[in-house]
């Protein structure tokens, strides 16, 4: 299984843990809530769903209401399929949530992991955040060394692009520092509308620690029928 398909399976299981959905709803949530999946098509999503069903982590259920059932034959369309997480699927997802290995720090996988931090225990959140920060600090060091070696050979526009890349990484490191500080302090964002509200899943055990943001900037973590 490729890393990218593994990320998709993780995200699908996480979304279905919240509630059953049909394929159209899933793709919409993947695109809008988890921007890393904007490039995924139905041709990618449905094989993933079939694999999860075959593994016993999802089940397919007819999702048509009585009105839909009457309208579908007239329109020449089949009933939509709803995908529901099984007990084995929930257990598998919770196992994935507990993993803090190097894959959790990579760009795309980190974005997906962070999207489900509300369902993740604090100690795991801390290890993932600290691992991500360490990875980015290593990247910054390499970028800086490379820029020092090649500065004289770069034109002004290429040099500016290199600087922009470093600033983007530095900005994410600062963001991670804020998150880690908040997690350590055990702060939870509640109360005022400007601060938002943190929802806590019953399995996470401890409240989240999202920092208060001074601005809105933060890093960028057809029809659905049976086939």
């Amino acid at each position: 299984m490729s890393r990218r398909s593994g990320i998709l399976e993780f995200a699908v299981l996480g979304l279905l843990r919240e509630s059953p959905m049909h394929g159209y709803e899933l793709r919409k949530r993947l695109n809008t809530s988890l921007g890393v999946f904007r490039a995924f098509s139905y041709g990618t999503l449905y094989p993933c769903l079939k694999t999860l069903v075959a593994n016993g982590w999802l089940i397919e259920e007819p999702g048509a209401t009585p009105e839909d059932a009457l309208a579908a034959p007239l329109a020449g369309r089949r009933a939509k399929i709803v995908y529901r997480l099984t007990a084995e699927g929930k257990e598998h997802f919770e196992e994935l949530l507990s993993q803090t290995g190097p894959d959790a720090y990579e760009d795309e996988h980190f974005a997906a992991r962070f999207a489900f931090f509300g369902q993740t225990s604090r100690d795991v959140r801390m290890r993932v955040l600290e691992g991500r920060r360490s990875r980015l600090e290593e990247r910054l060091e390499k970028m800086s060394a490379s820029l020092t070696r090649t500065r004289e050979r770069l034109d002004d526009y290429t040099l500016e692009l290199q600087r922009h890349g470093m600033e983007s990484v530095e900005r994410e490191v600062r963001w991670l520092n804020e998150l880690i500080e908040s997690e350590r302090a055990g702060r939870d964002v509640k109360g005022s509308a400007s601060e938002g509200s943190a929802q806590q899943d019953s399995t996470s055990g401890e409240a989240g620690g999202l920092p208060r943001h001074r601005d809105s900037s933060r890093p960028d973590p057809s029809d659905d029928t049976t086939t």
Side-chain angles (χ1 to χ4, degrees):
M1 179 177 65
S2 70
R3 175 178 293 175
R4 193 161 173 80
S5 62
I7 299 170
L8 179 59
E9 290 186 4
F10 171 83
V12 167
L13 291 172
L15 290 175
L16 290 176
R17 189 179 188 278
E18 299 173 3
S19 66
M21 301 180 204
H22 54 69
Y24 175 80
E25 291 173 310
L26 269 172
R27 186 167 182 264
K28 183 177 179 181
R29 289 288 304 278
L30 288 167
N31 290 346
T32 58
S33 302
L34 305 174
V36 67
F37 296 107
R38 285 184 185 133
F40 278 101
S41 64
Y42 287 110
T44 302
L45 176 59
Y46 282 113
C48 172
L49 290 170
K50 294 299 182 183
T51 297
L52 296 176
V53 170
N55 288 340
W57 298 330
L58 302 181
I59 57 173
E60 297 177 328
E61 298 177 337
T65 63
E67 291 79 11
D68 292 332
L70 292 174
L74 296 176
R77 295 157 58 186
R78 289 171 290 178
K80 293 180 179 179
I81 296 298
V82 170
Y83 296 90
R84 182 184 298 275
L85 197 66
T86 64
E88 293 80 5
K90 180 179 179 180
E91 182 179 350
H92 179 63
F93 178 68
E94 290 173 353
E95 179 183 344
L96 294 176
L97 276 181
S98 70
Q99 295 178 3
T100 59
D103 278 352
Y105 317 149
E106 299 301 330
D107 294 344
E108 289 185 347
H109 208 161
F110 173 74
R113 286 298 302 271
F114 189 82
F116 294 101
F117 263 22
Q119 302 181 38
T120 307
S121 63
R122 177 177 292 160
D123 62 324
V124 171
R125 292 196 301 264
M126 282 292 294
R127 288 197 293 272
V128 173
L129 290 171
E130 289 174 341
R132 175 66 175 174
R133 180 176 63 180
S134 177
R135 181 61 54 86
L136 291 182
E137 288 173 340
E138 292 174 4
R139 186 180 300 173
L140 268 177
E141 185 176 347
K142 292 178 180 177
M143 293 172 74
S144 179
S146 175
L147 186 59
T148 300
R149 289 194 307 269
T150 61
R151 182 186 301 271
E152 295 181 357
R153 301 196 300 271
L154 300 177
D155 62 55
D156 290 343
Y157 294 102
T158 305
L159 184 61
E160 190 61 30
L161 184 62
Q162 295 284 336
R163 287 172 176 163
H164 174 69
M166 288 187 63
E167 289 173 358
S168 297
V169 178
E170 289 169 348
R171 186 164 56 248
E172 184 171 351
V173 170
R174 290 194 297 270
W175 175 66
L176 289 167
N177 286 336
E178 291 183 2
L179 289 170
I180 291 170
E181 179 186 354
S182 295
E183 290 287 351
R184 286 176 176 163
R187 290 200 296 268
D188 192 12
V189 183
K190 291 182 179 179
S192 70
S194 62
E195 295 175 355
S197 61
Q199 294 182 346
Q200 182 58 35
D201 186 83
S202 60
T203 63
S204 63
E206 298 178 84
L210 289 177
R212 301 179 184 181
H213 292 284
R214 289 178 292 276
D215 54 51
S216 60
S217 63
R218 65 189 305 178
D220 293 326
S222 90
D223 192 48
D224 174 32
T225 60
T226 57
T227 54

